[in-house]
Amino acid sequence: MNKVKHPVMKFIKFSFKADKKYYFLVLLNCIINALLTVFNSYSLSLIIASCEKGDYTSSLYIGGAIALINVLFYFLCKLLSSRIEIETQVMNNRVNEELCYILTRVEFQAIEDPYYLELTERAKQAIENQGCIFGFISSLASLLQGIITLFGLMTVILTFDYIVLIIIFVSFIIFTGLTLLSLKTQVKFFNDLIPINRRFGYYLTILTEPRYGKDFRFYPIGRFINKKFVDYGDEQAK
């Protein structure tokens, strides 16, 4: 019996197979941003140390070097961001291709099964309407960037007074708790929102699709769907 994989791992495997370059660019971008944060923090401590010693000339040189390096990193990050935007479109197309490939492998008797049709529509809605793949990868990248930054700043943080360390630790605990609470709220919110968006999207697609214009002129189906659309909007507005 095959072991059922965790949905997150299956999701990562699916998206990574669709476009490996996108993962590499996002990972490189988050590492560069994390290292830049660590570099700026450490450089600031060097400037402060130079000023305390009265060596203002060294402080100016260090400040100039920091500014130059930040400008170079800024252009590098801009270049990476433009590449990520391009690769996002590539990723989107390849995800659609992978979905189509998966659907073609569904057993014949399941093609018109409402259960599988519902799963397909839910997957497409989450990807196309909510951008779950890119949101998930961005969250992973932000998490990795935060971990790298935290470990990189440990040497600077440990030089602080113990009271400051306690304040930082308590702030981190509060921030983590609020983030987890926010994530739980977001999951519930999107679980309620996605079915509504799907139904609105269906009505709008039918009503605005030019190829259905002839049917709407000859048959009363157009007025019927328009009434359903308006009634559903009024129902959600209550």
Side-chain angles (χ1 to χ4, degrees):
M1 186 176 180
N2 293 332
K3 186 179 179 181
V4 179
K5 296 180 180 179
H6 194 278
V8 173
M9 297 307 300
K10 292 179 69 176
F11 185 86
I12 292 175
K13 182 179 178 181
F14 171 76
S15 56
F16 184 75
K17 182 180 178 182
D19 190 6
K20 301 178 181 63
K21 188 185 293 185
Y22 181 81
Y23 267 90
F24 171 75
L25 290 174
V26 171
L27 179 63
L28 181 61
N29 188 55
C30 83
I31 290 175
I32 289 175
N33 285 323
L35 293 178
L36 184 60
T37 302
V38 174
F39 170 77
N40 285 333
S41 301
Y42 182 71
S43 300
L44 182 61
S45 66
L46 291 179
I47 293 176
I48 293 173
S50 298
C51 290
E52 288 177 345
K53 295 177 182 178
D55 191 357
Y56 300 110
T57 303
S58 297
S59 300
L60 289 175
Y61 284 136
I62 294 173
I66 293 172
L68 179 60
I69 292 173
N70 273 272
V71 169
L72 295 176
F73 270 99
Y74 173 80
F75 285 109
L76 179 60
C77 290
K78 281 293 183 181
L79 178 61
L80 276 175
S81 297
S82 64
R83 291 298 306 171
I84 289 174
E85 289 181 6
I86 296 171
E87 208 61 34
T88 297
Q89 299 302 319
V90 176
M91 177 74 149
N92 190 43
N93 293 335
R94 290 184 178 172
V95 164
N96 289 331
E97 291 175 4
E98 287 290 328
L99 282 175
C100 292
Y101 175 70
I102 292 172
L103 292 175
T104 57
R105 299 175 63 190
V106 175
E107 296 180 3
F108 180 77
Q109 60 267 26
I111 293 178
E112 296 298 330
D113 190 325
Y115 174 74
Y116 290 100
L117 292 175
E118 175 71 11
L119 288 180
T120 303
E121 287 301 317
R122 286 174 67 88
K124 289 178 62 179
Q125 179 74 11
I127 293 171
E128 296 174 1
N129 186 272
Q130 302 299 326
C132 65
I133 287 182
F134 307 110
F136 179 77
I137 296 174
S138 297
S139 298
L140 283 180
S142 298
L143 177 63
L144 179 61
Q145 180 177 335
I147 292 172
I148 295 174
T149 304
L150 180 62
F151 279 101
L153 292 176
M154 285 299 293
T155 54
V156 179
I157 293 174
L158 291 176
T159 61
F160 294 161
D161 188 80
Y162 73 94
I163 297 178
V164 178
L165 291 176
I166 293 173
I167 294 173
I168 292 175
F169 180 75
V170 172
S171 301
F172 174 76
I173 296 297
I174 295 173
F175 174 77
T176 303
L178 291 175
T179 301
L180 292 175
L181 182 62
S182 173
L183 290 174
K184 184 178 180 180
T185 305
Q186 288 181 50
V187 169
K188 183 180 182 304
F189 172 75
F190 283 113
N191 279 337
D192 296 336
L193 179 64
I194 288 177
I196 297 173
N197 282 354
R198 283 180 58 199
R199 192 162 175 180
F200 269 120
Y202 171 77
Y203 287 140
L204 285 174
T205 301
I206 295 297
L207 290 171
T208 58
E209 183 65 40
R211 59 179 172 156
Y212 298 133
K214 181 179 178 181
D215 294 328
F216 290 168
R217 287 194 301 269
F218 284 96
Y219 305 103
I221 186 66
R223 291 192 297 274
F224 171 74
I225 295 179
N226 186 66
K227 184 177 183 305
K228 295 286 289 183
F229 176 67
V230 173
D231 290 345
Y232 186 66
D234 292 339
E235 178 186 337
Q236 297 302 318
K238 293 179 180 178

